Structures are given as C-alpha cells and as structure tokens.
Amino acid sequence: RDGNPCICIPTGGGKTIVIALMSRDCLGWGKRVLVATHSQELLLQGEKTLKRYGIDCGVYSAGLGRRDTEHEIVFCGIQSVYKQPHIFGRRDFVIVDECHRISDNENSMYAQFFRGLSELSPIRICGLTATPYRLGQGLICGEDNWLNKIVYEVGVAELIEKKFLCDISSKAGDGAIDTSQLKIRGNDFAEADQETAFMQNADRIVADVHARATITGRKSILIFCAGVAQAQDVRKRLLAMGEACGLVTADTPDTVRAEHIAAFRDQQLRWLVNVNVLTEGFDAPGVDCVALLRATVSPGLYYQMTGRGLRLSDTKDYCLLLDYGENVKRHGPLNQITPPRKSGGGLPPTKNCPECGEILPAHADICTDCGFAFEKLEQKTPWEKINSRAADDEVIAKPVKPQWEPVALMEVRKHTPREEGKLPTLKLSFYANRQKIGFPIAQQWLCVEHNGYARSKAEGVWNKLNPHDVCPTDSELAAVTLKKRLENGDIEPPTAILIKPDKANPKFMTILDYSWSDEHLPQEELDDDFGDKPFFTAKTDIVDDFYNLF
C-alpha cells in the first residue's frame, strides 16, 4: 500500500530478525536499503543477524569507527549520518529501528536525514518499535507525519501466552517513594528531586531489593536509577553486601561499559546498575529481575525499562519486577498502556485504599474491593497519597479471548460529539434483540470525516458492511446510504460479531470482526425459532416472564 508504515512488536519479540528478513526481501527486489537507529548495540545486532542469514551488509557509525557506504544494505547511526545522507547515493527503502524516536520537529535529525535522501530519489520509510508514541507528541503515526499508520501490532500478553516472551511478575516493597511530592520539569519528573527522594530511602530500598532477589533465586538483576550519584550509592551498598555489581552511565568509558555489559550477559556479574543507558537496544536474555529505583511519567520509558526482562532464557522461568517508583500504578499493565496525549500532562488522579491497597479513582467514596468508606479520611488526607506503601499491581493484564456474539439488529445513525471542534462520526450499534431492549452488545464509531489511519480503518469496516458504495466523507450521507441499503435488502447486517473487552475500559467491547455465517452462532439458537419475539442470548426468569407478554 501507499504511505510509510509502522510495525509494533514488543521488546524481545524479534524486531531485529524482522528487519533482517525485510532487508533481504528488498535486496531480492533490487532495492537499496538503509537501516537507521540511534544505538550502537542495535547496529551491531542487525549486522550480526544479517550475516547469520548469509547476507552481506555494511555499518556506518563514527562511534564504532566504521564508515561503509557502498553496500546494498547499510546499518547507520543517525547521529553520524543525518547531515550527510548523500554519501549513500540512491536509496529506495529506509527502515528505522526504535522509530518512536522520530520527532515531528522539522529540524530533528531524522527529518533532516529523510529530506536529504528524498532529494536524491524517492524513498519509502518503515518504522519498528514497541511503543509507537512520544511524550508530548502522542502517537507517532499520522497522515502528515513521517510514519502514516500502524500496519501490524502484536501484544505482550499474546507473546507470553504463546511462549515467545517470558512471563513477568511485579512486586513493590518497603521504601517505595511518595511520587506525589515530586515536581515535573519538561516531560518527566525532575531528576534531582527523585534522586534525592530515593537516596533518602536507600537503606530500606537496597536491602529490600537484595532480600527479594535473593529469596526468589534471581541470577541476573538489572537496576535503573534516577541519577549518577544514586547509582553509585546503590552499587557501593551492594558491593558492601558481597555482591558482584557493575555500573553503567553516560559517562562510563566505552571499554569499561563493554566489559561490564559482557560480564553481566555471561552472568559473571549478578547485578548491573545503570542510569538512562540500557533502556533500548540492550539484549541480555538472562535478566530475571528488573528493579525500578526511579519514577517516570513516560509510558514509553516505563515499557522499555520493564521490557528488558521479557526475553526468553533457559536460566529463568519468569522475570521479577521490583517497582519502587509507583510506575506500574501510574501506567498500568504493560499490555494496556495508554499512549500519552499530545499536550503531555501530569499524573492520573488516583488514591490507594488504606485497608486493602486497591488503586481507585480520586473521586471514589467507597473502595470497590473491601468497601472502605473515604468520607472521614478525605477531610484529613489529600488524595495524592493516602498510603505510602506501593501496591503490588499486575504488570501484565491476563489476555481475554475474543468471543463471537449473535446479532439480531444493527442500528445506524450519525453521531455528533458534545465536545466543541470534534468531527461527527457514523455510529453503529449491535443488539441481541430486534426491539433494542437493553444495552447494545457493542458499539462502533466510524471516523468517515477524518484523515489518515482513522479514515482508513473506517473504510475497511464500511467495505465489509457495504461493498456496493464508496465510503462517503460525510457522516450524515454515510448513515443515509447504509440505511437505504439495509431497507432495500441490498445488504444484510452481520449475524454475529467477534468482540473482546476494550483495553482502555474493559466495561466496553471492541469489535474485531463480523460474520454472516451460521458457524458463529450458538447451536441452541439455530435450533430455536423466535419469530418476531425479542432475541436474547441468555434466558432468565425475567426474560421468560417477558416472553409471556406475547
């Protein structure tokens, strides 16, 4: 298809292999390829993987002391090439690893690089990432962005269930800091503030990390710290406990950095402490414990840090996440992270129940888990921090299998949002009975008046429901057209829809597919003949009484 696609694969899910095989295919089609990224580790991983498949390629990176330009496939560090794209000559395809680093700023390194390449010849761009969003920017895909739409996405829970990724369990113990007291500067918590807060609790936190990792038999523990002073202090405490511990920061010499990382990968070092270094492009499958001794507002950074423990290894059966910065509470399970809004913003208003530790909305009067009443407590304690102990939140939400539900009626109408400035949509409501009694099974809003990915998705649904007409760009016209087709019998509403709970709000259903076949209807409903009576999927005494009215 046209446009520049984005592929979303979780950390440890095999992006490097996908890049290698895509490059090989392009080579077979006579295309010249560039693979751009920001990380030296990713460049070397890519080269190693291609050579494993018997494919020749080059590397251009000033940091690695290599400047290959003539190969048909070249892995290049964006920092080294963005000002001189012409050195590679004609290129047809550009693959960007960790493409969430592509900014919408027209003066960014990637923007300059893409513009320079396109001046030589037309290019197609494809991005791969585990987190297709940037803090302060939102989703990186859009009609006017360098990447236009997500064409493939696979979830963490699905890959864990299929044994492609390691299972992960989260715990938070004594010493977790009160992040409600931290200031936000730029797009994240102020480094100095959180570093101070963590160091004030260093005795309890380091002791707790060590105890939990030891009790559970962890062999390879990766620690993320907020600042260099904190990281040095953590390492000093672990060394005093008799533990072999390495330290990697932005100031660590390359040779020392390589030595510590190699020793950690080989499990000669049990502990490795780092500050903003090993969040991306770091491949150590043996990591069986990730300790977050820092807090972040960025869901992408939270995911990248936690994802270091997702890779499979014979040395572990699961990864333990130790969170001392309320990150799991703040962002939710890894497979249900909500992309940041373009305006950025602060933290979601939540509070902990002091009785059971349940995380609740700030406005809740009653705990939904234990029934604790907040009225008196609210007068004394602000919602920002009712309980200083972090909850043991689930880091992976258990996957729910989609299910087919029979449909008796599809209602079509134009929907006008209440919010000023938002475009109307075409609203579809699917009911289990012909009289629209009760709530719909599921509802769907088709953004026919939008552009980019939203419009493309709307067209896909429209073509399934009504292949006779081109999808209109006006919601009112779309509703009239669809209703007329239904009334004339030109099209039939689906007999069943495939649904599953919505990621953002499980109370609502997301529609995954439609069926006009009896194979997706329960057998007992095929055997019954309800005629014109309301159709219910579940029969109760109340429903039986309702039937008696007819």
Side-chain angles (χ1 to χ4, degrees):
R1 298 182 181 180
D2 294 334
N4 299 326
C6 177
I7 296 171
C8 298
I9 301 176
T11 300
K15 288 191 293 295
T16 304
I17 295 176
V18 173
I19 290 172
L21 298 182
M22 288 172 63
S23 301
R24 183 185 67 179
D25 289 344
C26 289
L27 193 64
W29 301 330
K31 305 297 183 183
R32 290 167 57 82
V33 183
L34 287 177
V35 182
T37 188
H38 67 287
S39 164
Q40 295 180 13
E41 286 82 3
L42 289 173
L43 296 177
L44 295 175
Q45 283 179 33
E47 180 190 30
K48 180 180 178 181
T49 304
L50 252 73
K51 288 185 175 179
R52 200 169 79 203
Y53 287 102
I55 305 169
D56 186 36
C57 62
V59 173
Y60 194 105
S61 169
L64 295 173
R66 299 180 58 181
R67 289 177 170 79
D68 302 329
T69 60
E70 299 301 322
H71 294 72
E72 298 297 303
I73 302 173
V74 178
F75 287 81
C76 57
I78 188 63
Q79 301 93 328
S80 302
V81 300
Y82 76 97
K83 290 184 178 180
Q84 48 179 355
H86 59 277
I87 62 175
F88 298 106
R90 177 186 66 83
R91 294 288 163 171
D92 306 291
F93 195 42
V94 182
I95 303 174
V96 180
D97 195 5
E98 304 292 358
C99 65
H100 54 272
R101 287 182 169 263
I102 298 177
S103 170
D104 56 5
N105 186 328
E106 62 179 13
N107 293 319
S108 68
M109 286 189 288
Y110 276 110
Q112 294 182 55
F113 188 55
F114 295 150
R115 284 199 300 268
L117 287 172
S118 61
E119 289 174 359
L120 299 175
S121 61
I123 60 169
R124 293 288 297 280
I125 304 168
C126 176
L128 287 92
T129 181
T131 51
Y133 39 77
R134 286 174 64 92
L135 201 63
Q137 177 179 327
L139 286 171
I140 60 174
C141 295
E143 183 180 17
D144 298 324
N145 294 7
W146 288 109
L147 297 176
N148 305 130
K149 64 182 293 187
I150 296 172
V151 297
Y152 178 81
E153 185 172 12
V154 62
V156 177
E158 180 180 348
L159 293 186
I160 290 176
E161 184 181 25
K162 293 181 177 179
K163 309 300 181 184
F164 288 113
L165 290 179
C166 175
D167 202 358
I168 188 167
S169 173
S170 64
K171 295 292 178 184
D174 292 334
I177 69 166
D178 179 357
T179 60
S180 68
Q181 306 303 316
L182 299 180
K183 296 178 181 178
I184 296 179
R185 291 194 178 94
N187 287 329
D188 211 341
F189 291 118
E191 179 181 308
D193 287 355
Q194 63 167 312
E195 184 178 35
T196 299
F198 275 104
M199 291 184 70
Q200 289 174 348
N201 291 270
D203 287 340
R204 288 200 302 170
I205 290 179
V206 177
D208 193 71
V209 173
H210 184 267
R212 289 177 181 268
T214 302
I215 291 172
T216 57
R218 302 297 95 185
K219 304 180 184 67
S220 189
I221 304 100
L222 181 62
I223 298 179
F224 290 93
C225 289
V228 175
Q230 177 203 5
Q232 293 171 338
D233 179 68
V234 170
R235 181 177 186 242
K236 180 179 178 182
R237 292 173 184 274
L238 288 170
L239 291 173
M241 294 177 181
E243 296 288 354
C245 180
L247 173 64
V248 176
T249 71
D251 299 326
T252 303
D254 290 344
T255 53
V256 177
R257 174 174 169 174
E259 289 174 3
H260 284 196
I261 290 177
F264 183 68
R265 281 199 182 108
D266 296 338
Q267 296 193 351
Q268 297 172 2
L269 281 177
R270 185 182 177 212
W271 302 78
L272 183 59
V273 183
N274 87 103
V275 183
N276 297 326
V277 174
L278 305 180
T279 56
E280 297 173 344
F282 175 62
D283 185 2
V287 172
D288 57 4
C289 179
V290 175
L292 304 183
L293 274 63
R294 63 156 299 161
T296 180
V297 174
S298 167
L301 179 56
Y302 157 65
Y303 183 96
Q304 294 289 353
M305 291 188 295
T306 306
R308 297 306 109 194
L310 291 176
R311 285 183 170 84
L312 296 176
S313 172
D314 294 337
T315 63
K316 64 182 180 183
D317 52 357
Y318 75 97
C319 177
L320 176 65
L321 173 66
L322 301 175
D323 180 17
Y324 297 87
E326 297 183 313
N327 297 290
V328 180
K329 169 185 172 181
R330 183 176 306 109
H331 299 294
L334 287 183
N335 54 328
Q336 291 185 355
I337 296 176
T338 302
R341 296 181 179 179
K342 201 156 190 173
S343 59
L347 305 181
T350 61
K351 60 186 178 185
N352 287 6
C353 173
E355 292 294 323
C356 68
E358 184 77 3
I359 298 177
L360 304 164
H363 56 75
D365 296 327
I366 302 293
C367 175
T368 55
D369 189 41
C370 69
F372 177 81
F374 281 93
E375 286 83 359
K376 294 182 180 179
L377 188 61
E378 289 287 352
Q379 298 174 3
K380 300 178 182 179
T381 309
W383 65 263
E384 286 87 350
K385 194 64 181 178
I386 289 179
N387 185 358
S388 61
R389 182 188 174 97
D392 294 347
D393 304 294
E394 287 292 337
V395 70
I396 294 291
K398 301 304 179 186
V400 178
K401 292 185 177 180
Q403 298 210 0
W404 286 101
E405 288 291 334
V407 172
L409 175 71
M410 179 177 74
E411 182 186 51
V412 180
R413 69 180 182 88
K414 174 185 176 180
H415 172 70
T416 304
R418 294 179 182 178
E419 295 89 341
E420 186 178 350
K422 287 198 172 183
L423 295 173
T425 57
L426 176 63
K427 182 179 178 182
L428 308 178
S429 300
F430 298 88
Y431 290 86
N433 58 85
R434 299 186 183 94
Q435 277 68 35
K436 297 194 299 184
I437 298 172
F439 293 104
I441 305 169
Q443 294 179 306
Q444 195 167 25
W445 288 261
L446 304 187
C447 304
V448 298
E449 300 186 23
H450 291 61
N451 296 315
Y453 178 69
R455 167 69 187 185
S456 176
K457 186 175 180 180
E459 288 175 348
V461 175
W462 176 275
N463 292 335
K464 286 185 178 181
L465 298 175
N466 177 23
H468 302 287
D469 304 298
V470 175
C471 181
T473 56
D474 178 79
S475 300
E476 182 67 38
L477 178 59
V480 171
T481 303
L482 210 54
K483 285 180 182 178
K484 187 175 180 180
R485 288 290 186 185
L486 288 167
E487 292 170 357
N488 293 341
D490 300 327
I491 60 173
E492 295 289 337
T495 55
I497 54 177
L498 184 64
I499 61 174
K500 73 173 184 178
D502 183 72
K503 287 184 179 180
N505 191 340
K507 292 189 296 183
F508 298 99
M509 295 293 148
T510 296
I511 300 175
L512 304 178
D513 203 358
Y514 315 85
S515 174
W516 286 263
S517 170
D518 289 345
E519 66 176 305
H520 295 124
L521 293 177
Q523 189 59 43
E524 60 185 37
E525 289 159 5
L526 291 175
D527 295 339
D528 288 335
D529 180 16
F530 292 104
D532 293 329
K533 292 185 293 185
F535 181 76
F536 291 89
T537 56
K539 297 178 182 178
T540 64
D541 292 339
I542 296 176
V543 173
D544 289 339
D545 290 341
F546 187 80
Y547 282 149
N548 293 334
L549 295 177
F550 293 83

